[in-house]
Amino acid sequence: MSQEINIWVSNLGKYNEGILQGAWFTLPTEMSEIRKEIGLNERYEEWAIHDYEAPFKISEYDDIGTLNEIAELIEETEIPDVVWNNMSELLDYFSGSVPDLIENCENFMINSDIENEYDLGQAYIEDLDVEFPRTYLGNTIESYIDYKSLGRDIALS
């Protein structure tokens, strides 16, 4: 899967006249190229992003310069597919910016089998790869671990 940002930029003046004039661009792309391709000039100065292909939300009037910077960061960074494919959800959950998420993508651990805090705590203990004694005073050691509280603490940290 290619990791790139594509946007459809249209000439807003022409659009308001009922003429669809625009084009798809793979970012980063110079604004001068976009202006030329969609026919911006002294009469038609305004543009809008009417569609996009990206793993995060792009609004109609997002700054193309900022989107270009994000696209350049994507080119420079090896983003794991699991982060790329879940970027929108990660941004919603962690309420960070796209550049922050990309710069810290190696710190994410995504496990689709985890559905709640209990599962998170249990997965964390299993990932420690520690051999627990099978029994302690007649009970399995796992019965003493509060997976739900552990998972809640992990989620909050």
Side-chain angles (χ1 to χ4, degrees):
M1 167 177 271
S2 93
Q3 296 183 350
E4 59 188 21
I5 301 172
N6 298 302
I7 57 174
W8 169 269
V9 182
S10 68
N11 180 322
L12 199 52
K14 292 273 192 177
Y15 180 80
N16 290 333
E17 293 174 355
I19 301 168
L20 183 59
Q21 183 171 338
W24 280 102
F25 298 94
T26 298
L27 300 180
T29 301
E30 293 293 326
M31 191 63 199
S32 59
E33 181 181 334
I34 294 172
R35 294 178 66 79
K36 180 180 175 185
E37 182 73 26
I38 67 171
L40 296 183
N41 54 38
E42 291 177 10
R43 180 173 176 201
Y44 299 107
E45 298 176 349
E46 296 183 64
W47 55 268
I49 300 170
H50 284 172
D51 200 1
Y52 66 91
E53 295 172 345
F56 53 89
K57 295 175 183 114
I58 296 177
S59 72
E60 192 173 23
Y61 297 109
D62 274 352
D63 179 61
I64 291 177
T66 301
L67 292 173
N68 276 331
E69 290 173 8
I70 293 170
E72 290 169 0
L73 184 59
I74 290 168
E75 289 177 345
E76 298 167 0
T77 308
E78 188 172 326
I79 302 170
D81 286 340
V82 69
V83 173
W84 180 262
N85 295 334
N86 294 285
M87 192 174 290
S88 185
E89 292 84 2
L90 290 169
L91 287 166
D92 289 344
Y93 184 77
F94 293 104
S95 65
S97 69
V98 174
D100 287 343
L101 187 136
I102 293 169
E103 290 169 355
N104 294 294
C105 66
E106 71 278 353
N107 297 327
F108 288 97
M109 179 182 76
I110 299 175
N111 185 331
S112 59
D113 296 332
I114 295 174
E115 297 180 8
N116 53 43
E117 292 170 343
Y118 182 92
D119 292 346
L120 178 59
Q122 191 171 32
Y124 181 80
I125 294 296
E126 288 172 3
D127 286 346
L128 289 177
D129 200 27
V130 175
E131 290 292 327
F132 290 111
R134 295 307 317 153
T135 61
Y136 180 73
L137 299 175
N139 296 312
T140 62
I141 197 74
E142 287 88 3
S143 65
Y144 291 96
I145 299 173
D146 184 352
Y147 291 116
K148 184 176 180 182
S149 294
L150 178 61
R152 184 188 66 241
D153 290 349
I154 293 167
L156 292 174
S157 64

